[in-house]
Amino acid sequence: MPGRVSTARSSRSSAAVSHKSSVQTLNSRASTASRISSPYVETPEETPENELRTQVSSMFRDAQRTTASHRKLVINLRKIQEACCYEPTSKKKNKTGAEDFDEEQFTYEFTRCVLRVMPVKKSENVGERAIRFIGLFLRHANEKDNELIPEADQEAGIMVETPSTRLTSHLMAAILPLLTAKEKFVRYRSTQLISHVINSLEAIDDDLFQLLRHGLLKRIHDKEAMVRVQAVLGLGRLAGNEADGEAEDSDDDDSGAGLLEKLLDVLQNDPSADVRRSLLVNLPILPNTLPFLLERARDQDPATRRALYSRLLPALGDFRHLSLSMREKLLRWGLRDRDENVRKAAGKLFRERWIEDCAGTAGAEDGQEGEAAAGEAKSPSFSGLLELLERIDVVNSGVENGVALEAMKGFWEGRPDYRDAVTFDDNFWDTLTAEAVFMARSFNDFCLNEGNGKFEALIEEKLPEVTKLAFYLERYITVLVEALKRVAAQEPSEEEEEEETVEQEFIVEQLLHIARTLDYSDEVGRRKMFALLRQSLSIPDLPEEVTKLTVEVLRGICASDAAGEREFCSVVLEAVADVHDTIMDEATSVDDDESFHSAKSVVSSDGSPSKSQKTEEEDQEKAIREIMVNMKCLHIVQCMLENVEGNLQQNANLVAMLNNLVVPAVRSHEAPVRERGLLCLGLCSLLDKSLAEENLTLFMHFFSKGHSALQITALQILTDILNQHGAQTLETNPALLKVYLKALKSGSKAPEVQAAATVAIAKLMLGRVISDSSPVIEDLLRTLVVLYFDPSTAHNQSVRQTLSYFLPVYSFSRKENQDRMRKVALDALHKLFEVQETLDDEGDAEAEMVGISTIGAHLIDWTDPRKCYVPGNQLTLGDEGSKKAVNGDVHLEFARDLLERLGSSISREEKKLLAPLLQKLHVSPASTHSLLREIYAEVSDAIDSKLVADATGRNALFKIHVSLGKIVNSLKEKEDDSNGLRESMRSSVNSRKSRESVAPSVTGEEEDNADKTELGKVKEGEVEEEDDDERTVIGGRRDSLVSELLSDGDVEMSGL
C-alpha cells in the first residue's frame, strides 16, 4: 500500500491545478488546433528516452493486441503510477524502476501515448482496444486513490484531489482541443475517448464536467455521423446527471436550453440512424423523455425500431406503467412492421417479457429475482396470461383486424410450455370471460392454421366436441339476450350493464369463431348446432356481428353443393320471416292495448277524444318500427347473399326474396332502408348477369345523386359487377366509364370517393376488364398519372399509395401497357406543367409539387423495355447481356414523341424540361432496324435545324445522336460484311463449278506431270471465264460428293 503523496518529487502542489487555468489552456489550444492543416495530431516535443517511457509504451503496445490482458496491464501500470506519485512505505518491496520519476513525468508519458492513438482510423481495431485500456486504467486508478481518502471526507461528499483526478484533468485538457481538428478521425477518436472516460468514471470535477459538456455539445452537429454517435454516447450519461438537478446553474449559452432538449431534438431529426439508435439506448428513461423514445417505433431505420423492442422496452420495467393506447400501438406497430427482425423482436417482447410481468404480480420480490435470471424456465401461469390479455384490451383488439390475434399466434408458437400445459375443462367453459374465451379461440386458430396440421391433434385433445360446444353457445346466447333486454329496459346511464353486454357479445362472437372451424361429421352434434343457430337467427335483438357469424356457421354446416345452398337459403329466409313476424306481432299487441284504452277514454270523456292527440306519436313509432324491421331483415339477407355462389334464377327462394324484400327496400323513401336495399340488390346482381344489366342505370343514378358513402357503395357494386360478368357489360354501357372519370376528379369535394374510384379503376385495368380497344382507357391512364403527381392529392394518402403500386406494376406487366403509358406520358407532363405554373403564379407555399424532371424520369422508368415482363424470358438484375438484347422500340417511339413535342408551339420553359429526357432513354441495338434509322435521321435533322436552344438540351440531343449513330453504323457495317460474304460465297461456288467441268478433260491427257499441271491451270482459267459469261456448268458430275471435297491437287492427280 503506498504512503502519502510525494511532495519532494512533485513539481507542483495540489493547489497548482486551477480550473481557471485549464479553461485558458483549452481556449489557447482550441485556437491552435483550428489552424492546424495537417491531418495528424500535433504532439509535444520529444524528450530524451528514459526507462519510464519504455515501460509505459510497452503497456500501451501490449494493450493493442488483445483485451484479454487489459486487467493485468492496468494493475502493472497502476504500480508504475504509484511509484511515481507516492512515497514508498518499505524499501524491501520490489521496485518497478520508475521510482526516480515524479507524477508530472508520468502524466507526460501517459498523455504522450494517448495522443498517439488519436489519428488511428475507425476501421483499425487497435484504436478501440487502446481506448478501452485507457478508460479501464483511469477507473481503476481513481478507485485505488479513493480507497486512500479518509472516511470523513468520503462521508462529506467532497471530491478530494488525487493523482488520478489530476491525471484525468490533464488528459482531458490535452484531448479537448482535438475535438475541433480538421481530420475526421482525430475528432472521432478524441470524442470517443472523452465519452468512454465519462461512462467509465463515477465522479468528475464540476469544472471539468462543464468543459466536457461544452465540447461534446459542439460535436452533436458534426458533419461526420461517427463523431456524432460518440458525442451522444457521452452526453447521454451527462443528461442523466442534469435530470437530477446537476449543471443547472451554468451560464453557458449551450446549456441554457437544457441538454435533454437538445438531445431529444437530435433523436428526432438526426439523419444518421446510428446516432438515433445510440440516443435511444443511452438516454435516461424519464417521464418527459419516454414519449420521444417510444415514437422511435416508427423510425425509418429497421435496426432502430428493433432496438426499441429488443433493448429499450425490456429495460423499461413493468409494461403496465404504459397507457393502454400506447401498449396497443407498440404491439400493432411491432407485429405489423415490414421488417421481419422487428416483428420477431416485438413477438418475443410480448411472449417473454410482458407475460413475465403479469405472471410475477402475485409475488413482486420473486418476480424481480426472476428478471435477473431470464434464462431460467418458469412454470406457465395462465392467470398471468389472462391478465396480459386484459392489459391489451382484448375486447377491442381481439376483433378481426385487431392486433391481439397476431400477438397470440406468435405466443402459442413461441411458448410450447404454455401450449402443452393449457387445459379447457368444464369449469373453464362454465365461467368464461372475454380473455378466457379469446385464449381458447386463438389456440384453436393456431392449431388449425400453423405447423401444416401437426397441431390438429391438440384440438381433439383439449377442445370440446360439437355437441358440448353447442350447449355452451346456447347458454351464453341466452345470457346475451337477457342482458340486451335489461339494457333496453333501463336508463341510458347504466354503464356497467352496457360494459357487461359488450363482454357477453364478445364471448358469443368468439364461440362462433370456434364453431366455424369445427368438424360436423358427427350427425348428432351437427343437428344440435343447426337447430341452435336456426333458433338464434330468429331472435330480433341479436347484434349484427353475431348475426353475421351465425349465418357463416350455418353455411358451413350445410352442404357445399347446390342442394345444400338451397337448404341454407330456405333456413335463413325462414328466420327472416320469423324476425319480421315477431316484431310486427309485438307492435300489433301494443296497438290493441292502446286502442282498448282509447275507446274507454272516449266513452268516459265529455270532451274531444284523446286518441286523436296520440295519432302523430303512434304514426312516428310505427314508422320507426317498420324501419327497424326492414333493417334487421335486410342485414340477415345481406349476410346470406355474401355466402351464396349459385345462380339466382335457379333458386326460387332467392327470387322470392328479391321481389318481396329487396326491391321494395330499394324503392323505400327511408334513406337507411334504401341504402341497405341497394347493397342487397348489388349482391343479387353478382348472381345473375341479366339482373345486373337491368340495374346498371339504377346504380349509376345512385352514384350521381347520392352522398359520399352511397357513392362509394355504388362504385364498389359497379366494379364487382364488371369483374364478375366481364368486359362485355362495360362495352354495352359506354356511359359507365364516365362515372369513374367523374369520381376520379372529385378529389376536392369527396377525397374518399376519389380513393375508392382509384382502387376500382386499378383493379379493372390490371384485370384487363377495360379492354385495350376501349376508347377511354388512355384517358383513364392519363388521369391516374396526373393524380399521382398532382399536389391536390398530397393529403389523400389512399390515392397516392394505390397509384404507387399500380402504375409501375401496370406498365411492367405487358408491352402493350408500356406503349400505352408512352402515349399518354407527354400529355400528362404537359398537364402537370400547367399545374406547376398555376401554383407558381398563385404562390401557394403549402402545395409542394415534384419537379417536372423527376416526373419525366418516372415516366421513362415505367416505359423502360428492360423492366417489362416477357413470358418465358425472365431477366435477372445481373443479366446485363440479356437486357441489352431487349427490343427497345417503345423508347424509340418515346424519342419521336419528344422530338415532335419539341418542334411544336410549346413554351420555351417546357422545352427546357423536356429536352433532357432524351438522354435518359434506353437505345437498344435489338430494336427494329428501320425504326432505328428513322429516329437517327430525325435526331440528325433536329440537330441540323437547332431544334433545342439551351445547352443542357443540346447535350442530351447529342448524346442520343451518338448512341443511335453507333448502332446505325454497326448495322451498316454488318450489312456490308454480309454483302461481301455473299459475293465471296457466290465466287467460291462458281470456282467449284468450273473445277468440276475441267476435271474430265484433264483425266484424258497422257503428258508428264509438269505439262499436265500447266495445261490444267490454263484450261481451268478458260472454264472460269466461260462460267462467268455463260453461267453454265460443263460436266455432269454435280451429284458427286467426292468431287466437292477434292482440292486442286486432287483434281490434278485424278488425271493420271
Side-chain angles (χ1 to χ4, degrees), residues 479-499:
V479 173
L480 172 63
V481 174
E482 292 176 356
L484 289 171
K485 290 180 179 180
R486 286 198 305 270
V487 171
Q490 291 176 354
E491 296 296 328
S493 60
E494 297 290 338
E495 296 182 358
E496 295 183 1
E497 288 289 343
E498 291 183 4
E499 291 179 1

Side-chain angles (χ1 to χ4, degrees), residues 39 104 228 263 273 405 423 528 563 682 692 855 864 1016:
E104 185 175 356
R228 299 199 302 272
L263 292 181
L405 275 174
T423 56
K528 174 62 180 175
I855 298 173
D864 192 338

Side-chain angles (χ1 to χ4, degrees), residues 86 390 419 444 586 661 673 677 712 787 859 875 939:
Y86 292 96
E390 182 183 358
R419 192 171 64 224
N444 178 70
E586 293 176 359
L661 185 60
V673 177
I712 293 175
L787 278 180
L859 293 170
L875 300 179
V939 172

Side-chain angles (χ1 to χ4, degrees), residues 1007-1023:
E1007 299 178 0
D1008 60 350
N1009 291 340
D1011 294 336
K1012 288 176 183 177
T1013 301
E1014 292 294 333
L1015 181 61
K1017 288 182 179 179
V1018 173
K1019 291 192 175 182
E1020 212 171 6
E1022 294 175 356
V1023 173

Side-chain angles (χ1 to χ4, degrees), residues 37-213:
S37 60
S38 171
Y40 301 103
V41 181
E42 193 174 90
T43 55
E45 295 181 2
E46 291 290 341
T47 58
E49 290 288 338
N50 54 56
E51 187 178 355
L52 178 63
R53 176 177 299 178
T54 303
Q55 293 184 11
V56 174
S57 299
S58 65
M59 299 288 179
F60 274 86
R61 182 178 63 250
D62 295 339
Q64 297 177 31
R65 296 173 181 172
T66 176
T67 58
S69 60
H70 277 188
R71 174 59 60 181
K72 180 180 178 181
L73 293 173
V74 163
I75 294 173
N76 294 335
L77 188 58
R78 170 62 182 174
K79 291 179 180 179
I80 297 175
Q81 184 190 24
E82 291 176 353
C84 294
C85 301
Y86 292 96
E87 291 286 350
T89 58
S90 175
K91 298 182 178 180
K92 296 181 180 180
K93 284 192 173 182
N94 295 330
K95 295 186 177 182
T96 61
E99 288 78 6
D100 298 333
F101 300 93
D102 58 13
E103 178 184 343
E104 185 175 356
Q105 290 173 310
F106 176 82
T107 302
Y108 173 84
E109 295 298 336
F110 186 83
T111 306
R112 173 183 173 276
C113 291
V114 172
L115 291 176
R116 297 298 191 277
V117 182
M118 294 300 101
V120 179
K121 293 184 177 180
K122 182 185 178 183
S123 58
E124 297 290 341
N125 293 328
V126 294
E128 309 290 334
R129 300 190 192 108
I131 287 179
R132 288 184 61 183
F133 172 72
I134 296 167
L136 185 62
F137 170 74
L138 291 177
R139 182 173 63 183
H140 177 74
N142 277 277
E143 290 174 355
K144 290 296 183 181
D145 285 343
N146 291 335
E147 293 176 358
L148 304 176
I149 299 175
E151 295 182 0
D153 292 342
Q154 291 183 1
E155 293 176 358
I158 301 174
M159 187 173 181
V160 180
E161 192 174 67
T162 64
S164 297
T165 59
R166 289 194 293 271
L167 174 64
T168 303
S169 299
H170 182 273
L171 179 63
M172 292 297 100
I175 297 299
L176 276 170
L178 303 180
L179 293 175
T180 57
K182 289 185 178 181
E183 174 59 32
K184 61 181 180 180
F185 293 114
V186 175
R187 296 199 308 274
Y188 168 70
R189 290 298 179 188
S190 58
T191 311
Q192 183 186 25
L193 177 60
I194 291 174
S195 299
H196 190 73
V197 170
I198 288 174
N199 286 286
S200 299
L201 301 183
E202 294 182 358
I204 301 178
D205 182 72
D206 288 343
D207 292 339
L208 180 60
F209 177 92
Q210 294 299 328
L211 289 174
L212 298 180
R213 185 178 185 277

Side-chain angles (χ1 to χ4, degrees), residues 922-962:
H922 172 65
V923 181
S924 173
S927 304
T928 306
H929 295 174
S930 59
L931 186 60
L932 283 168
R933 292 188 178 92
E934 292 174 6
I935 302 302
Y936 179 66
E938 293 182 11
V939 172
S940 302
D941 293 341
I943 293 176
D944 295 339
S945 60
K946 298 182 180 180
L947 183 64
V948 182
D950 62 296
T952 306
R954 285 199 305 271
N955 292 336
L957 197 61
F958 291 149
K959 185 174 181 180
I960 192 174
H961 182 263
V962 171

